[in-house]
Amino acid sequence: MAAVEEEDPSIMGDESEGDDLSCDEGKPTARQLQEAEEKNKLLQRHEEKAVSYVRVAVYCVVVFTAIAVTLLVYFYTKNEQENDFRTVFEIYGNKLAESFIDSVDRKIVAVGGLSATITNYALSNGLTFPNVTIDNWIMLAGQTRVQADTINVEYAPLVTDENRLGWEDYAFNHKQWQQEQWEEEIKFMDMQNQYYGLEEAVIKDAPGSDRSKNEEPSEDGQQPPQRSLEEAPPAGEEGPPKLPGYTRQIFGLGPPPKSGPPPSIPKPPESGPYAPFWQMSPIIPLEFLLNGDILSRGSSRDSMLSVLETQHAALGPASGVRDPSNITLKELVPIRKQNDYVQRGQYRHELQFFLGDTTTDLIYPVFDSFGANRTVAGFLMSPLMWRLNFEKIVPENLGGFIAVIKSKQSDPFSYLIEGPKATYLGIQDPHASKYDDMFVFQNMGETLQVQHSPRDRAYDTVEVDFGEYVLYIYPTEQLESQYITNKPAVYASIMASVFLFTIFVLVVFDCLVARRQQVVMKKAVESRALISTLYPEQVRERLFEDEPQGNAERRKWKNPGEAGIQVGSNKAIATLYESATILLMDLAGFTKWSSTRTPSDVFELLETLYQSFDRIAWKRGVYKIETIGDCWVGVTGVPNPQEDHAPRMAKFAAACQVRMGQLVAYKLADRLGADTANLKLRVGMHSGPITGGILRGDKGRFQLFGDSINTASRMESNGVPGKIQVSQSTADELIRHGHQDWLTEREDKVEAKGKGLMTTYWVAVKSSKSTGTRSSFMSSLDQTGESFAEFDAPAGMGTESERFNVGSIPKQAQTTSSHLPPGIIAELEV
């Protein structure tokens, strides 16, 4: 201490000087603490950067996958539904169109068969047209009605002006056929009802009279006898207005009156040709209908004249009510005639389904022979019931379709097809506009012409003029709703819920992992701080090695204990430092003093002193090697070269002596005893080459090897308490840096073991200038404190917060021992 006290305290210089010996051990400023904390946070952010990138990438991938899969499920399901909807519509739309065409074709074939039967009957019986009446008409025509799926069949011979009189006589003489076959037809219908167990629904009298009502049986259970057309009602029973009787001449019908049948107007001579109404099925027992000229009907005249001219069958214009829910009086006349046929035919139990239905007359020629020179001898008329052509095609619970039939002869009319049933909608096209481009189209004439072949046509090969009837099949919203549902949204919601739950689980898991990562990171920072006290930065980096396969994606800390087992497996971690200064400081009198103290007192003393020395070392750029008992070992010029390693170490030693004097005199003496102030610091220094490295093995640490450390040890052991003794090489270094005034040659030679006599020097550090400010050496040491922030320390030393007790640095990093037992470390952590 005397060597230092001889100097003026102000000679140590201002703190701003690079060689300032000040070692402010006072409490660090808030800025210093903040800088140290930011340094630790920077380390933590650096370590968590890759994890954060992976976390963000995983979340982005999961969210993107959730959105993509949800949208994919939604649009895939929606597309599947739309495809199913279109597929079902196309299948059953085409099936409806094909079945419709086939049904129409079967009707034409059935009526054509009856036409051939009439021709054959006339030829077989040697009859001449028009004077032909078909026996068994009710059976032949009734079978045709069933095969053609129509409500009636009418036959009218072709009569010219030349044979008109002959026909009128023939018709008058054979008009009784109507009454005879009507009675037969009633018998057959009664038998049919009984066979199928149907209720009586037969109208057995003429339309418009009370005789058309079913009469109740008499008391004896007998049915009242049927009356003929001419028979008057019994006495006292008023009947309806008397119907007109048979008209001998061919006649036309005048405008219909307000009530009753239209008046009969005889056709004038030379006004032919004529088509007098003759035979019908089912039979309507009204004689006044016979001989009515069908060619006088405005709706059928053009078609019949076309058949007469071309010998082709033809479809007339469509007729029906415009709106089935609002039937006008004008529309009732054709409805009544239609109902007269329906209630007497095979649909007599389904009258309600035919109310106002649209029909089109099929007019088929009857020829006088089968040869090439055949001529038209009559006409068969059968209404084409459009509704019946759409029934029993679509399965139950599948609906609906809209069929629209168009032609140049009439306005479009339509049907709603729901399952096996079809409903007449009226003269309109009610399909939704959104289905304008979604339809099935059939041209009846072209399709039948293409389909005809010897398989479905007889030798007569009668062509049919369809009047350009075309068919459109459209879907309905009802059909669409059966396939386009909310299932895509439901499935997408379920998928989104699954992903949301997955994301929730992932977030929870990530939070747990992040929490664990923080704990691991905290331990890693603490471990780094501890390692920083054991190894220089350059040496720490060399302890990391790549994977054996050369994979550089991750680095592994090599456990020194494990590494020590692999003898010769890695290159040694050692470096020769050509010029360095080694220092050893020993507490003179410590052995005697500690013998009377408790272990806690001993450790309090050592920790207080060594921590102060450590802080001064960090500020002065001195690297601490280790402590051995009460001996503190440090070096300059290692691990980074320092040109001023000798002066730097001399200043450090002087500062430690001053600080120790303060601590033992003013801080420790009161608690540890007055004799604590008697402790002195004995310092030895030597400069020269030194080898530094790590001996990998159990509790491996950074160590120095070489003769230089032995010489430094001799300087310390042969020194004097309170003084700094240096070797000749250290003195030469100080002289080289212009500090020869710091040196005083020792009077006696030192007998060093293994070295012989050595010339040594005492060092008394002096400042190159004096400032006289509060920042002088002694005044700076008066400040007290326990932690330091980051200073401009030499590269490789790390920050003081990494090497000493600053905020987050663990207590085990403060200890001067580089290999404490685990139990002691755990106790320090508590």
Side-chain angles (χ1 to χ4, degrees), residues 329-462:
L329 292 175
K330 184 179 179 180
E331 295 171 333
L332 283 176
V333 175
I335 290 178
R336 287 170 179 169
K337 178 187 175 183
Q338 176 178 294
N339 287 350
D340 287 341
Y341 280 124
V342 173
Q343 64 189 357
R344 288 170 170 80
Q346 70 269 31
Y347 298 107
R348 55 189 178 273
H349 297 280
E350 304 174 29
L351 178 63
Q352 68 275 14
F353 298 117
F354 291 86
L355 183 62
D357 197 359
T358 297
T359 62
T360 298
D361 283 337
L362 170 63
I363 303 172
Y364 203 95
V366 177
F367 297 100
D368 60 353
S369 66
F370 296 115
N373 297 323
R374 63 187 181 183
T375 58
V376 177
F379 306 93
L380 282 174
M381 285 78 66
S382 180
L384 190 63
M385 308 301 296
W386 297 100
R387 180 180 62 84
L388 299 177
N389 298 316
F390 297 114
E391 290 190 337
K392 301 179 182 179
I393 299 174
V394 178
E396 191 74 37
N397 300 324
L398 181 63
F401 300 83
I402 288 181
V404 180
I405 302 171
K406 300 179 180 180
S407 73
K408 291 184 177 180
Q409 304 178 49
S410 56
D411 295 331
F413 53 96
S414 57
Y415 294 87
L416 174 62
I417 305 166
E418 296 176 296
K421 296 181 180 180
T423 304
Y424 177 60
L425 298 178
I427 300 177
Q428 58 176 325
D429 183 356
H431 82 275
S433 58
K434 65 179 180 180
Y435 303 126
D436 285 345
D437 59 344
M438 188 177 179
F439 59 86
V440 174
F441 172 79
Q442 284 282 17
N443 185 302
M444 294 175 57
E446 293 179 0
T447 304
L448 286 174
Q449 191 66 30
V450 172
Q451 291 182 357
H452 285 172
S453 68
R455 295 176 58 186
D456 56 13
R457 275 294 176 270
Y459 292 115
D460 57 0
T461 62
V462 176

Side-chain angles (χ1 to χ4, degrees), residues 128-395:
T128 303
F129 289 99
N131 302 332
V132 176
T133 301
I134 309 300
D135 294 334
N136 299 317
W137 169 258
I138 58 173
M139 296 298 295
L140 296 175
Q143 187 66 28
T144 301
R145 277 190 292 112
V146 173
Q147 292 177 352
D149 205 13
T150 184
I151 61 173
N152 69 287
V153 177
E154 300 174 346
Y155 166 66
L158 179 63
V159 178
T160 63
D161 289 324
E162 289 77 11
N163 56 23
R164 174 179 176 176
L165 294 178
W167 162 256
E168 291 175 344
D169 291 339
Y170 173 82
F172 180 77
N173 295 326
H174 291 80
K175 61 182 177 66
Q176 71 275 7
W177 77 266
Q178 188 183 52
Q179 178 72 28
E180 295 172 355
Q181 296 203 20
W182 173 51
E183 295 174 356
E184 289 295 324
E185 189 169 43
I186 290 177
K187 294 178 181 179
F188 283 121
M189 284 191 290
D190 287 341
M191 293 171 56
Q192 192 179 53
N193 289 337
Q194 293 176 7
Y195 180 81
Y196 291 106
L198 300 174
E199 295 180 359
E200 180 62 52
V202 180
I203 303 301
K204 298 183 178 180
D205 264 324
S209 69
D210 62 349
R211 291 181 296 173
S212 62
K213 301 177 182 178
N214 294 329
E215 299 186 14
E216 295 296 330
S218 60
E219 294 182 359
D220 58 1
Q222 297 296 321
Q223 199 72 11
Q226 298 295 326
R227 297 188 293 271
S228 65
L229 294 179
E230 294 83 4
E231 186 177 355
E237 181 180 333
E238 294 184 1
K242 185 174 179 60
L243 296 176
Y246 176 78
T247 302
R248 189 180 182 96
Q249 293 179 320
I250 297 176
F251 64 90
L253 299 177
K258 292 183 179 180
S259 63
S264 301
I265 302 176
K267 300 289 290 185
E270 304 298 330
S271 58
Y274 316 97
F277 185 77
W278 186 236
Q279 291 185 289
M280 78 291 290
S281 175
I283 296 174
I284 298 178
L286 295 176
E287 287 187 345
F288 75 87
L289 296 176
L290 303 179
N291 258 356
D293 185 18
I294 299 177
L295 277 173
S296 64
R297 300 177 187 174
S299 60
S300 303
R301 178 178 177 81
D302 294 339
S303 299
M304 296 182 71
L305 292 177
S306 174
V307 172
L308 184 60
E309 179 182 356
T310 62
Q311 297 189 359
H312 294 174
L315 285 179
S319 62
V321 299
R322 184 165 295 276
D323 183 1
S325 62
N326 185 22
I327 301 176
T328 64
L329 292 175
K330 184 179 179 180
E331 295 171 333
L332 283 176
V333 175
I335 290 178
R336 287 170 179 169
K337 178 187 175 183
Q338 176 178 294
N339 287 350
D340 287 341
Y341 280 124
V342 173
Q343 64 189 357
R344 288 170 170 80
Q346 70 269 31
Y347 298 107
R348 55 189 178 273
H349 297 280
E350 304 174 29
L351 178 63
Q352 68 275 14
F353 298 117
F354 291 86
L355 183 62
D357 197 359
T358 297
T359 62
T360 298
D361 283 337
L362 170 63
I363 303 172
Y364 203 95
V366 177
F367 297 100
D368 60 353
S369 66
F370 296 115
N373 297 323
R374 63 187 181 183
T375 58
V376 177
F379 306 93
L380 282 174
M381 285 78 66
S382 180
L384 190 63
M385 308 301 296
W386 297 100
R387 180 180 62 84
L388 299 177
N389 298 316
F390 297 114
E391 290 190 337
K392 301 179 182 179
I393 299 174
V394 178

Side-chain angles (χ1 to χ4, degrees), residues 528-548:
R528 184 178 186 274
L530 179 59
I531 292 171
S532 298
T533 67
L534 302 179
Y535 307 104
E537 182 178 357
Q538 295 84 347
V539 175
R540 291 200 306 267
E541 291 300 320
R542 293 181 65 182
L543 285 173
F544 288 99
E545 67 176 7
D546 294 336
E547 290 295 319

Side-chain angles (χ1 to χ4, degrees), residues 625-637:
I625 299 299
E626 61 182 339
T627 58
I628 306 174
D630 60 336
C631 181
W632 193 98
V633 182
V635 64
T636 54

Side-chain angles (χ1 to χ4, degrees), residues 457-473:
R457 275 294 176 270
Y459 292 115
D460 57 0
T461 62
V462 176
E463 296 185 14
V464 181
D465 296 330
F466 285 93
E468 299 186 13
Y469 276 92
V470 293
L471 171 67
Y472 291 88
I473 305 292

Side-chain angles (χ1 to χ4, degrees), residues 551-566:
N551 298 330
E553 64 271 13
R554 69 183 184 95
R555 305 184 70 185
K556 178 178 70 174
W557 174 259
K558 178 176 279 296
N559 185 305
E562 294 178 358
I565 300 174
Q566 301 172 1

